[in-house]
């Protein structure tokens, strides 16, 4: 099992791309989306979109649940909370 620092590194790396930040923001705003809808959010080729979604899922930022022939994507609130706690601790240490 990866350490909490390893998880944070993976999360931060996944967020180090403007396209993935845009995708995550839109998934959060809409609560849940299908992969087809993600393709409409970002004007990307299907393989490129799949790559970005895979990185977000692998980092634990996005949940992907199969529903028949669709994959439903939603934000993983626990991972977002972990990131928030990390940033708050970092900022309090810098003060």
């Amino acid at each position: 099992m990866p350490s909490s620092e390893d998880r944070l590194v993976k999360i931060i790396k996944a967020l180090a791309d403007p396209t993935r930040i845009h995708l995550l923001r839109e998934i959060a705003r809409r609560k849940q989306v299908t992969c087809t809808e993600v393709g409409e959010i970002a004007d990307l080729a299907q393989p490129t979109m799949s790559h970005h979604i895979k990185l977000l899922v692998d980092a634990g930022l996005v949940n992907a649940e199969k529903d028949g022939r669709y994959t439903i994507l939603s934000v993983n609130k626990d991972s977002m909370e972990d990131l928030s706690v990390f940033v708050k601790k970092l900022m309090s240490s810098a003060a």
Side-chain angles (χ1 to χ4, degrees), residues 32-52:
Q32 63 180 23
V33 297
T34 64
C35 286
T36 303
E37 292 170 325
V38 171
E40 296 165 3
I41 291 169
D43 188 25
L44 300 171
Q46 192 278 328
T48 303
M49 185 269 304
S50 291
H51 168 75
H52 287 299

Side-chain angles (χ1 to χ4, degrees), residues 9-89:
V9 168
K10 204 168 194 178
I11 288 170
I12 292 167
K13 283 182 179 181
L15 291 174
D17 182 278
T19 299
R20 289 191 288 274
I21 290 174
H22 174 68
L23 291 172
L24 185 63
R25 184 180 296 127
E26 285 300 310
I27 293 167
R29 186 178 71 76
R30 297 175 187 210
K31 307 292 187 234
Q32 63 180 23
V33 297
T34 64
C35 286
T36 303
E37 292 170 325
V38 171
E40 296 165 3
I41 291 169
D43 188 25
L44 300 171
Q46 192 278 328
T48 303
M49 185 269 304
S50 291
H51 168 75
H52 287 299
I53 293 300
K54 181 178 181 338
L55 289 174
L56 290 170
V57 170
D58 288 350
L61 291 167
V62 171
N63 298 315
E65 297 178 30
K66 288 295 271 180
D67 184 17
R69 52 181 232 200
Y70 297 101
T71 300
I72 308 297
L73 304 171
S74 61
V75 171
N76 182 333
K77 293 178 182 176
D78 292 336
S79 289
M80 296 304 291
E81 182 63 28
D82 291 345
L83 180 61
S84 177
V85 168
F86 168 74
V87 170
K88 287 177 185 175
K89 285 181 182 178

